[in-house]
Amino acid sequence: MLNIVLFGPPGAGKGTQAEKLIVKYGLVHLSTGDIFRSNIKGETELGNLAKSYMDKGELVPDSVTIKMLEQEVVKHESPKGFIFDGFPRTNNQANALSVFLESINTEVSVMLALDVPKEELVKRLLLRGEKSQRADDQDASIIENRIRVYLEQTAVVASYYEEKNKYQSINGLGSINEITERLYRVIDLI
Ligand code: ADP
């Protein structure tokens, strides 16, 4: 299986690039943010819980997120692989993912980290906020908080994969297609 962790700060372009990669490599896209948002829309218990954190730009607790992710993975019968988008966001989640994938006889193949400077992230997120109804993209202070949470809790996850020689940084500036091509080049070497 080809299991890709697509990594980077909020607004780095993970969702956009994941959509391209699933087509080219026949992978399943699992975005924890999207799964939470669909639960919020469906007014499920999980959605209500997640909303209280997401609206503030905080992380949803690990126990909830990990269980949800595992339930999503097992829904797919003999997949070619997964793109994990927005997960893992803590070292605890990274550990849990590794244990879980081992239990189904597979592993993370690579972490692809989109590198984008902070000023560009804020610009992209505010623009997305104008076009979409995402509450967490509408407010500059929530965006700042998400970037802070990323730097304080999530950025360390890169070292987790670096230590396993599975980390690849990708320049996340340029056109969507240029960035996709950069990702293809790295994936094709795996
Ligand atoms: P972005 O990458 O733009 O922040 P996401 O859709 O990935 O957007 O995430 C939106 C929000 O969903 C996060 O700010 C967080 O509250 C919650 N979330 C998503 N994935 C996780 C995760 N793996 N662990 C905890 N919370 C998460």
Side-chain angles (χ1 to χ4, degrees):
M1 273 167 79
L2 175 62
N3 295 312
I4 297 173
V5 171
L6 200 52
F7 191 69
K14 301 182 293 287
T16 306
Q17 295 300 333
E19 288 307 319
K20 306 269 201 157
L21 300 181
I22 52 168
V23 175
K24 172 139 169 118
Y25 299 100
L27 305 174
V28 175
H29 181 196
L30 289 186
S31 156
T32 40
D34 285 351
I35 303 166
F36 285 135
R37 278 184 291 277
S38 87
N39 274 277
I40 292 173
K41 218 168 160 192
E43 296 180 1
T44 67
E45 203 178 314
L46 172 66
N48 290 336
L49 178 92
K51 189 174 182 338
S52 62
Y53 294 92
M54 290 169 77
D55 282 351
K56 290 182 279 188
E58 302 290 336
L59 295 185
V60 179
D62 279 346
S63 55
V64 177
T65 308
I66 290 166
K67 187 163 152 243
M68 175 188 83
L69 193 273
E70 293 181 357
Q71 284 170 351
E72 287 296 322
V73 168
V74 298
K75 280 184 189 167
H76 301 274
E77 223 175 288
S78 9
K80 281 193 185 165
F82 293 94
I83 296 198
F84 299 103
D85 162 6
F87 186 95
R89 257 176 156 95
T90 62
N91 270 339
N92 193 16
Q93 291 180 13
N95 259 316
L97 181 63
S98 153
V99 170
F100 176 67
L101 290 181
E102 207 180 311
S103 78
I104 55 168
N105 295 316
T106 186
E107 61 179 5
V108 167
S109 315
V110 69
M111 166 185 268
L112 302 173
L114 293 169
D115 183 20
V116 178
K118 185 180 166 192
E119 308 74 54
E120 173 72 13
L121 299 173
V122 177
K123 241 192 326 195
R124 288 185 190 176
L125 291 168
L126 285 170
L127 194 71
R128 186 166 77 185
E130 284 172 21
K131 292 185 195 152
S132 81
Q133 290 314 307
R134 267 186 66 168
D136 60 347
D137 285 342
Q138 314 265 333
D139 181 316
S141 70
I142 299 175
I143 290 176
E144 286 290 335
N145 196 38
R146 281 155 64 204
I147 295 174
R148 192 178 56 76
V149 166
Y150 172 81
L151 293 172
E152 286 177 3
Q153 300 182 48
T154 303
V156 291
V157 179
S159 318
Y160 181 95
Y161 291 97
E162 234 169 354
E163 281 162 18
K164 296 179 158 50
N165 283 325
K166 289 182 175 177
Y167 173 83
Q168 289 275 354
S169 173
I170 309 281
N171 176 3
L173 284 178
S175 72
I176 291 175
N177 285 338
E178 276 166 356
I179 299 162
T180 310
E181 289 296 329
R182 288 175 200 146
L183 290 164
Y184 288 168
R185 279 200 289 276
V186 173
I187 296 169
D188 288 339
L189 290 174
I190 295 169

